[in-house]
Amino acid sequence: MPGRRRGLALALLVTVQFVLVLDASIVNVALPSIGRELRFDQADLSWVGNAYTLAFGGFLLFGGRVADLAGRRRMFVAGLALFTLASLGGGLAGGAGLLVAARAVQGLGAALAAPAALSLIMTLYAPGPERNRALGLFGAVAGAGGATGSILGGLLTDRFGWEAVLFVNVPIGAAALALAPLLLPEARDTAVRGFDLLGAATVTGGLALLVYTLVDAGDAGWTSARTYGLGGAALLLLAAFVLVEARVRNPLMPLSTFRSRELSGGNLAAVLMTMAVFPMFYVMTLYLQQVMDYGPVRAGLGQLPVAVAMAAGAGAGSGLVTRFGPRAASAAGLAVAAAGLAWFSRLSAPGDYWQDVLGPSLVMGLGGGTAFVAVTIAATAGASARESGLASGLINTTQQVGGALGLAITVAVSTAATEDAFAAGERVQAAALNEGFQDGMLTSAALALVAVLIALVLPPERRVRAAVEPEPDAPQPDAAGLR
């Protein structure tokens, strides 16, 4: 494929990925307006976000494998079309149930499109510096998407109403759908016949139930019978999935995939990385509004530095991986992110933006952006070209599950610390909340340090390159991929 067309294809893929990641957080600032206009019960309002997370996390592995078998461009287009139509339906929703359903369908569309987008990048670029730069750009927009959601959500809600946070996806999705057949190659694994329906059902049900358990544990209680029951059922479904994959002829996820030390280690590091980094956006949003008394738009703009820093860190990360390998780059990025999170644990009340927020935002953003790219490269380097969609779905799944688990742990730790502060006689709500936020960020810093240790045992660069580069006499895929 000519270089200019390949560059346009990459621009299309990273733009769509930015929108998919953005939608996980863009509705947060709009939740109060949604609750008032659609008459949500306060306890149910969180499902505007949770429905998207649940479907996105539950169907990612399924979407990645289907992309390998049915065609990566085909699944990218199908997922994006579903996401765009659901965005339109959500903006037009006249009731709480319709909006939550639309958000779930959005998540399903994103789960089909996101792994296909990442695997298409792996198809377009051979292993080495060019692929690392492409993944660096992909990581930059993905990392910035999470931080930018609050900013854009606040601006759109304030100016046009909550519907705008969903309607904004429609013209972007329509333009991307028109360009995809012109710019993107088709690629699929023609060697496999048949589809593992039982495996797809057990892993999708298990992952969806696991994500639901994590997001519900804050309300039900971590030690409640409901949490234990749902968590146990999720683990049983995932165990059944492993048994199915060991026996079927054409497994959804060949268990031999996990023999790759770089892929297994990269995914484990990705879980811990998102457990540590993702809750920071939640804590920062609440800190700026509940402790520093910022309005929605100002709170959103207050997170702009971390978005810029993550984009810069991701751009630098691709160069670091090329020069030093994913192991060193992952460990360095995670160590810097841990330092930023530890700095965040020193938040004060009533707080000062320049002292309490800006510095740690820049440090955490640089480290987190670097780590995101390096861990993604490590987690996909051990997969064959035929299984790039599966590897892409797996890394996206581990990030989603890690984010949900990290947020649940941070909320539990923060809530307990805040309640202890009130019990100890603290009468100022902002001060009590601040103590909770401090403990939550300290927990995140500890998780990031554990991720550093995992990153240090990843294979060195020469082994990763050997795992992904074809043998000299091996047949090469054509420009259209693996057809």
Side-chain angles (χ1 to χ4, degrees), residues 313-349:
S318 61
L320 291 174
V321 170
T322 299
R323 184 170 182 181
F324 300 108
R327 178 173 66 178
S330 298
L334 288 164
V336 173
L341 292 166
W343 190 353
F344 261 124
S345 72
R346 299 177 63 84
L347 293 168
S348 65

Side-chain angles (χ1 to χ4, degrees), residues 21 24-25 28-29 140 142-151 273-289 299-300 302-311 341 344 361 364-365 368-369 372 403 407 410 437 441 444:
V21 174
S25 60
N28 290 344
V29 177
T148 309
S150 297
I151 303 170
M273 176 187 69
T274 51
M275 283 177 67
V277 172
F278 184 79
M280 184 213 67
F281 299 106
Y282 174 84
V283 169
M284 188 188 299
T285 298
L286 295 183
Y287 176 78
L288 290 173
Q289 295 188 65
Q303 297 184 51
L304 181 60
V306 74
V308 174
M310 289 194 80
L341 292 166
F344 261 124
S361 293
M364 204 295 303
F372 183 92
L407 183 58
T410 300
F437 297 151
M441 288 295 90
S444 293

Side-chain angles (χ1 to χ4, degrees), residues 153-164:
L155 293 172
L156 289 173
T157 302
D158 185 65
R159 186 69 183 270
F160 303 107
W162 68 264
E163 297 90 345

Side-chain angles (χ1 to χ4, degrees), residues 35 103 122 134 151 349:
R103 288 286 288 167
M122 296 169 66
I151 303 170

Side-chain angles (χ1 to χ4, degrees), residues 5-75:
R5 183 183 170 192
R6 189 166 54 176
L8 291 174
L10 177 62
L12 172 63
L13 293 170
V14 298
T15 299
V16 170
Q17 179 68 7
F18 176 82
V19 173
L20 299 181
V21 174
L22 183 81
D23 251 67
S25 60
I26 194 172
V27 301
N28 290 344
V29 177
L31 288 179
S33 299
I34 292 173
R36 286 192 302 269
E37 293 192 24
L38 298 186
R39 303 183 187 279
F40 265 91
D41 290 335
Q42 186 63 31
D44 296 332
L45 190 57
S46 63
W47 282 104
V48 177
N50 290 344
Y52 185 84
T53 302
L54 183 63
F56 196 3
F59 284 90
L60 272 166
L61 192 57
F62 169 80
R65 191 52 173 160
V66 171
D68 283 334
L69 302 179
R72 291 160 196 153
R73 185 180 67 190
R74 183 177 301 168
M75 292 312 300

Side-chain angles (χ1 to χ4, degrees), residues 3-411:
R4 184 172 181 274
R5 183 183 170 192
R6 189 166 54 176
L8 291 174
L10 177 62
L12 172 63
L13 293 170
V14 298
T15 299
V16 170
Q17 179 68 7
F18 176 82
V19 173
L20 299 181
V21 174
L22 183 81
D23 251 67
S25 60
I26 194 172
V27 301
N28 290 344
V29 177
L31 288 179
S33 299
I34 292 173
R36 286 192 302 269
E37 293 192 24
L38 298 186
R39 303 183 187 279
F40 265 91
D41 290 335
Q42 186 63 31
D44 296 332
L45 190 57
S46 63
W47 282 104
V48 177
N50 290 344
Y52 185 84
T53 302
L54 183 63
F56 196 3
F59 284 90
L60 272 166
L61 192 57
F62 169 80
R65 191 52 173 160
V66 171
D68 283 334
L69 302 179
R72 291 160 196 153
R73 185 180 67 190
R74 183 177 301 168
M75 292 312 300
F76 175 80
V77 170
L80 181 58
L82 193 61
F83 175 86
T84 303
L85 290 172
S87 298
L88 178 62
L92 296 173
L98 290 174
L99 178 58
V100 170
R103 288 286 288 167
V105 177
Q106 270 189 302
L108 173 59
L112 299 177
L118 183 55
S119 61
L120 279 167
I121 290 177
M122 296 169 66
T123 299
L124 289 168
Y125 293 90
E130 277 199 331
R131 179 185 284 184
N132 292 345
R133 284 193 293 271
L135 289 174
L137 181 59
F138 190 82
V141 300
T148 309
S150 297
I151 303 170
L152 186 59
L155 293 172
L156 289 173
T157 302
D158 185 65
R159 186 69 183 270
F160 303 107
W162 68 264
E163 297 90 345
V165 302
L166 296 169
F167 285 149
V168 70
N169 299 326
V170 178
I172 299 173
L177 287 170
L179 292 172
L182 303 176
L183 297 177
L184 302 179
E186 185 55 281
R188 63 188 179 93
D189 185 357
T190 58
V192 177
R193 295 287 185 269
F195 186 74
D196 179 14
L197 289 175
L198 184 56
T202 51
V203 73
T204 300
L207 288 172
L209 189 56
L210 178 61
V211 174
Y212 175 83
T213 303
L214 295 175
V215 299
D216 183 63
D219 294 328
W222 281 91
T223 58
S224 68
R226 176 174 169 178
T227 298
Y228 281 133
L230 292 173
L235 293 178
L236 284 174
L237 282 170
L238 293 175
F241 169 67
V242 173
L243 292 176
V244 169
E245 299 310 278
R247 298 178 181 224
V248 298
R249 185 174 183 179
N250 295 312
L252 181 73
M253 186 179 70
L255 298 182
S256 59
T257 301
F258 290 100
R259 293 174 187 167
S260 167
R261 185 175 147 204
E262 56 270 18
L263 185 145
S264 300
N267 276 281
L268 182 56
V271 169
L272 291 165
M273 176 187 69
T274 51
M275 283 177 67
V277 172
F278 184 79
M280 184 213 67
F281 299 106
Y282 174 84
V283 169
M284 188 188 299
T285 298
L286 295 183
Y287 176 78
L288 290 173
Q289 295 188 65
Q290 296 179 347
V291 176
M292 296 190 65
D293 201 28
Y294 279 18
V297 175
R298 193 180 180 192
L301 292 174
Q303 297 184 51
L304 181 60
V306 74
V308 174
M310 289 194 80
S318 61
L320 291 174
V321 170
T322 299
R323 184 170 182 181
F324 300 108
R327 178 173 66 178
S330 298
L334 288 164
V336 173
L341 292 166
W343 190 353
F344 261 124
S345 72
R346 299 177 63 84
L347 293 168
S348 65
D352 180 273
Y353 181 84
W354 303 104
Q355 295 181 17
D356 294 318
V357 179
L358 181 61
S361 293
L362 295 174
V363 173
M364 204 295 303
L366 285 170
T370 299
F372 183 92
V373 173
V375 167
T376 299
I377 292 173
T380 54
S384 67
R386 295 185 183 279
E387 296 179 342
S388 61
L390 174 61
S392 302
L394 187 58
I395 182 64
N396 276 281
T397 299
T398 54
Q399 289 169 354
Q400 287 293 315
V401 172
L405 181 56
L407 183 58
I409 292 173
T410 300
V411 169

